[in-house]
Amino acid sequence: MSRRPVRPRRQHASAPAHSSPCPCGLPGAYDDCCGRFHRGEGAAPTAEALMRSRYSAFVRRDEPYLLRTWHPRTRPAEVAFDPGLRWTGLEILATDGGTAFHSTGTVTFRASYRGGALSELSRFERVDGAWVYVDGDIDPDV
């Protein structure tokens, strides 16, 4: 009796692949890295971790997470995603503050996309103990 090889089931395109690399650039799978924050299984412990998880949320177009991690004072009503934009990488250029010992912090980053890059100095604050994105200054010279 011959057995046909079992083919792995194809995952739906919008479902996160548990073993896929995390878009934030850190080693490890999305599910164990930024995915846990996106699912609400904890909060990012530093401003940099929040920045990375927000980048991953932009890659995955996770509007609820982005709004949940935006400061109430500056949060928009919705996030407008550009349907043609494809993010391709994140580089953290500098951090200041933003650890367990701080109430504010900044992260300077470069996010690449097909055809260009965006550089921003982002400001973060703690609200009720959790890091949130306040606002940022985009560097137009990238």
Side-chain angles (χ1 to χ4, degrees), residues 14-131:
S14 65
H18 296 291
S19 62
S20 65
C22 193
C24 81
L26 292 177
Y30 164 78
D31 201 43
D32 298 326
C33 191
C34 293
R36 61 194 167 113
F37 301 136
H38 295 174
R39 292 188 306 273
E41 297 172 1
T46 65
E48 180 182 338
L50 181 62
M51 175 64 243
R52 288 180 178 281
S53 70
R54 286 178 56 83
Y55 170 81
S56 292
F58 271 103
V59 169
R60 298 176 91 62
R61 298 173 192 239
D62 185 344
E63 182 181 43
Y65 181 77
L66 291 167
L67 294 174
R68 188 169 67 243
T69 58
W70 214 307
H71 197 291
R73 183 176 72 237
T74 58
R75 181 185 306 134
E78 62 183 11
V79 178
F81 297 104
D82 178 343
L85 187 66
R86 296 290 177 256
W87 297 103
T88 59
L90 176 68
E91 181 183 0
I92 301 299
L93 303 174
T95 61
D96 185 30
T99 71
F101 302 105
H102 300 100
S103 59
T104 63
T106 62
V107 178
T108 304
F109 69 91
R110 179 180 299 118
S112 300
Y113 56 89
R114 278 193 208 144
L118 165 89
S119 183
E120 180 177 303
L121 168 70
S122 297
R123 284 177 282 281
F124 298 88
E125 291 180 12
R126 282 184 185 240
V127 172
D128 297 328
W131 286 106

